[in-house]
Amino acid sequence: MFYTCGPNEAMVVSGCLRSPPVMIAGGRVFVLPCFQKIQRISLNILTLSVKSEKVYTRRGVPISVTGIAQMKIQGQNKEMLAAACQMFMGKSEGEIAQIALETLEGHQRAIIAHLTVEEIYRDRKKFSEEVFKVASSDLFNMGISVVSYTLKDVHDDQDYLHSLGKSRTAQVQKDARIGEAQFKRDAVIREAHAKQEKISAQHVNEIQMAMAQRDYELKKASYDIEVNTKKAESEMAYQLQVAKTKQLIEEEKMQVQVVERSQQIMLQQQEITRKEKELEAKVKKPAEATRYQIEKLAEAQRAQLIMEAEAEAESIRIKGDAEAFAVEAKGRAEAEQMAKKAEAFQQYKEGAMVDMLLEQLPLMAEEISRPLAQAQKITMISSGGTEVGAAKLTGEVLDIMTRLPATVEKLTGVNISQVTTHMG
């Protein structure tokens, strides 16, 4: 038949076909009645109060120690479960707890004997660790594992711990008074330092405030300059933008005017083209016809003129040849005459020169009187002692003529009156 057990106990089956016995912790197993035997062992945790009364410490001071231990049979470890079954099978939890308690108390007493009261009292953790370490090794061999151990109480009947407490209390009070005095002293020093630091901090704070105020004023002035600059730039930019906008508007107006003007020019060009075509139709074509007629007439006239010019040129050439022959003959005659005059000049010298001068006197008189002959009106003023009128003008011309021989004599050195006398 089947048997089961909970996780807090273990079953051991022994007998026929079960050698060695089978141990099952928290499960089920099939058992043959009459041939096999089943036994149970508890795996519950055991809480033990380990008391050691009046145990002498290393310095001979008797004290009583109470510790609390938690332990159980370890069912997951087969070796420990087998050892626990060999030692505790058939025993109750109380009997198992008593065996473990006696083992723990023995180890607790042994450790107390090796320590002083001060070590146990002041370092309970170390004491608990020592007991846990020593007891665990022995109980392990019994199949029991120590879960925890804690020192609960330490006391004595000789008031040793009380006296130790008083001494410690007095030392603590002494240290407290010293500490309080030192604290007060340090407090006064710290207070003085604090006041000094406060004053220094105030000065530093005032300096920093002044520096901050100065920096604020400087930055504010700088920001004001920057703001004013930006405002001025903004205003200038606004004015510039306004000017640009006006310029763009003017440019657009100019563009509109240009477009309008272009349209007008285009219309005018179209009108001109129309008028040109109309003129060409009404005037140019007839004019071209007239021009063609005139050109033909002009060509005919030109041909006629060319022929007349050629005839006239031929006539002029013939006439020129005749005139050239006449001039040439006249020139030969004048040359002969001049040659004869030159021979006469060589022969008569001064007489010939006087003769030439006499021939030129009428021409001189004509040239002298020419301005008077060309005058339209002559106004004459007389003082009353001289002649007035045409006689006066003729006398002045004759007077000029009488001065000519003297002028000729100065120019040529020939005295006309003497030469004339000799010639007579």
Side-chain angles (χ1 to χ4, degrees), residues 50-335:
V50 185
K51 296 182 179 180
S52 299
E53 299 290 341
K54 297 180 181 180
V55 181
Y56 288 94
T57 62
R58 190 174 63 185
R59 293 182 180 178
V61 178
I63 60 172
S64 297
V65 176
T66 301
I68 302 298
Q70 306 286 340
M71 59 185 60
K72 67 185 295 293
I73 295 173
Q74 188 61 257
Q76 301 300 324
N77 191 322
K78 299 296 183 180
E79 294 180 357
M80 293 181 67
L81 181 58
C85 290
Q86 290 178 1
M87 293 186 179
F88 305 119
M89 186 60 69
K91 291 183 170 48
S92 63
E93 288 185 4
E95 291 175 340
I96 297 172
Q98 185 61 37
I99 294 171
L101 178 60
E102 291 178 354
T103 302
L104 278 171
E105 185 181 357
H107 288 298
Q108 184 173 278
R109 284 178 174 273
I111 292 171
I112 291 172
H114 286 84
L115 298 174
T116 63
V117 178
E118 289 81 359
E119 291 174 346
I120 297 171
Y121 184 77
R122 293 175 181 173
D123 197 354
R124 295 190 176 195
K125 184 178 179 181
K126 182 180 179 182
F127 176 78
S128 299
E129 290 176 353
E130 290 290 336
V131 174
F132 179 84
K133 181 179 179 181
V134 175
S136 295
S137 61
D138 281 350
L139 293 173
F140 179 83
N141 295 327
M142 297 180 185
I144 300 174
S145 64
V146 180
V147 178
S148 66
Y149 174 83
T150 304
L151 181 60
K152 181 181 180 182
D153 181 44
V154 178
H155 66 277
D156 68 304
D157 297 335
Q158 306 295 326
D159 291 335
Y160 182 83
L161 293 174
H162 182 68
S163 299
L164 184 63
K166 284 183 177 182
S167 175
R168 179 60 184 164
T169 301
Q171 182 67 34
V172 170
Q173 291 177 352
K174 176 184 175 183
D175 294 340
R177 288 192 298 271
I178 294 171
E180 183 179 3
Q182 291 177 349
F183 178 76
K184 289 180 179 179
R185 181 200 64 191
D186 295 341
V188 173
I189 295 172
R190 284 195 296 271
E191 185 177 0
H193 288 166
K195 288 181 179 180
Q196 183 178 0
E197 290 177 356
K198 179 181 178 182
I199 295 171
S200 299
Q202 288 179 351
H203 293 165
V204 172
N205 189 27
E206 290 176 356
I207 293 172
Q208 290 179 351
M209 288 178 64
M211 293 174 64
Q213 184 67 24
R214 181 200 64 187
D215 294 340
Y216 168 75
E217 295 295 336
L218 292 175
K219 288 183 179 179
K220 185 175 182 298
S222 176
Y223 293 155
D224 290 340
I225 293 172
E226 186 175 356
V227 169
N228 294 329
T229 302
K230 292 297 182 182
K231 285 183 179 179
E233 290 178 355
S234 178
E235 292 177 357
M236 292 296 293
Y238 173 75
Q239 295 177 359
L240 180 61
Q241 187 62 36
V242 170
K244 288 182 178 179
T245 304
K246 290 182 178 179
Q247 184 178 2
L248 290 175
I249 293 172
E250 293 298 328
E251 289 179 356
E252 291 295 330
K253 290 181 179 179
M254 292 297 295
Q255 290 294 330
V256 171
Q257 293 178 359
V258 168
V259 172
E260 292 178 353
R261 184 61 180 166
S262 299
Q263 294 295 329
Q264 293 176 359
I265 292 172
M266 186 180 296
L267 292 174
Q268 291 176 358
Q269 289 178 349
Q270 292 177 357
E271 182 66 17
I272 291 170
T273 303
R274 186 187 67 79
K275 288 184 177 181
E276 286 179 352
K277 289 181 179 179
E278 183 180 358
L279 181 64
E280 183 178 0
K282 292 182 179 181
V283 178
K284 187 175 181 180
K285 294 297 184 180
E288 286 181 353
T290 303
R291 180 177 62 82
Y292 179 77
Q293 183 179 1
I294 293 171
E295 287 178 354
K296 292 301 182 180
L297 291 175
E299 288 179 358
Q301 292 178 358
R302 176 173 172 274
Q304 182 179 357
L305 291 174
I306 290 171
M307 293 175 67
E308 291 178 354
E310 288 178 352
E312 185 178 357
E314 183 65 21
S315 174
I316 291 170
R317 185 180 65 77
I318 295 170
K319 184 179 180 181
D321 291 340
E323 289 179 353
F325 180 78
V327 169
E328 182 180 358
K330 183 180 180 180
R332 284 197 297 270
E334 288 179 352

Side-chain angles (χ1 to χ4, degrees), residues 337-374:
Q337 184 181 359
M338 290 298 294
K340 290 178 178 182
K341 284 182 178 181
E343 290 177 358
F345 284 157
Q346 290 292 330
Q347 182 178 359
Y348 297 103
K349 294 182 181 179
E350 293 178 356
M353 188 177 295
V354 171
D355 183 57
M356 289 179 67
L357 287 174
L358 291 175
E359 288 179 358
Q360 297 297 325
L361 283 176
L363 295 175
M364 291 181 184
E366 182 181 357
E367 292 297 328
I368 291 170
S369 61
R370 186 183 299 275
L372 295 175
Q374 293 178 355

